[in-house]
Amino acid sequence: MIKILLNGINGRMGKTIENLSLNYDNLKISCGVDNVVTKNSTTPTYQNINDVKEDVDVIIDFSHPNSLDELLDYAIKNKIGIVLCTTGHTKEQLEKIKNASKEIPIFMSYNMSIGINVLQILIQKGLQALYKDYDIEITEKHHNQKLDSPSGTAIMLMNTIQDFVKQNFNEEVIFNHGRLGEKKREAKEIGVHAIRAGNIIGEHEVIFAGNNEIIELKHTALSRDVFAQGALKAALYLHGKEPKIYDMNSMLNL
């Protein structure tokens, strides 16, 4: 039985993960950490991770980048892995994650959906055939409470495109965030557009637009369950692994 510490347990994703974990017989949420502690919770919950008394095998983090330092310190001290599902980390924080991965296993993905990671593969296939002759645009939609923009998943898709172009064409693309003003689109420009409205769970689309046809690759999350399931599967996968950074491609063997 793998024992999980869930950071952000009382948030929307935290509650979804906690509920879905009941369907697994090989893991359990043994405790949680959150700024808000509810009295009627059946899972031991703390405001400070250093107050945790339970034994823990893996941490799942679905909270805020501000908690990164204490998570890494706790994980390194206790020699346990972390599944980082939080987005919006700074360059300095990403460097800290990289350094910590020399001591503990870290699973990191901007999106815990299996479908999004398959979408990356489809985008790479599209780039092989279409990059030179088609305009590319990225749109992403989320609920009106989401803080970071563009989304972590949009950044992941941007990185996928940039890496492919560098490796195959030895050049870089220009990402234009929220086009504004009177200026023609440059040939190497990719527009990135963020929509924040209502309770949209998550929608990402990459558009390849040619002179006479349009190809649209799109992923829509219909429930937060898809991210929760991915996080729990990642925790199972990470347990017992050697120190380094893992991702969805590692888990899915893509």
Side-chain angles (χ1 to χ4, degrees), residues 18-29:
E18 186 178 19
N19 290 335
L20 279 180
S21 71
L22 300 176
N23 298 326
Y24 291 76
D25 56 9
N26 52 353
L27 62 77
K28 71 172 183 177
I29 307 299

Side-chain angles (χ1 to χ4, degrees), residues 179-245:
R179 194 174 285 106
L180 178 67
E182 297 182 4
K183 184 181 178 182
K184 288 186 177 180
R185 185 187 200 280
E186 297 185 33
K188 295 181 181 180
E189 176 184 308
I190 295 178
V192 182
H193 313 281
I195 295 170
R196 298 290 177 266
N199 62 350
I200 301 172
I201 293 173
E203 184 177 302
H204 296 84
E205 183 174 23
V206 177
I207 302 168
F208 294 88
N211 289 331
N212 298 296
E213 63 181 355
I214 299 173
I215 299 98
E216 298 173 333
L217 299 176
K218 180 178 178 181
H219 177 274
T220 302
L222 303 178
S223 167
R224 289 185 174 83
D225 287 9
V226 69
F227 308 121
Q229 289 169 348
L232 291 169
K233 289 179 180 179
L236 289 170
Y237 169 80
L238 190 68
H239 183 241
K241 291 288 190 296
E242 64 181 29
K244 70 174 189 178
I245 293 179

Side-chain angles (χ1 to χ4, degrees), residues 72 81-82 84 97 100-101 104-108 238 244-246:
L72 292 179
I82 307 179
L84 289 175
I97 293 168
S101 71
I104 57 171
I106 298 177
F107 188 105
M108 188 173 183
L238 190 68
K244 70 174 189 178
I245 293 179
Y246 300 85

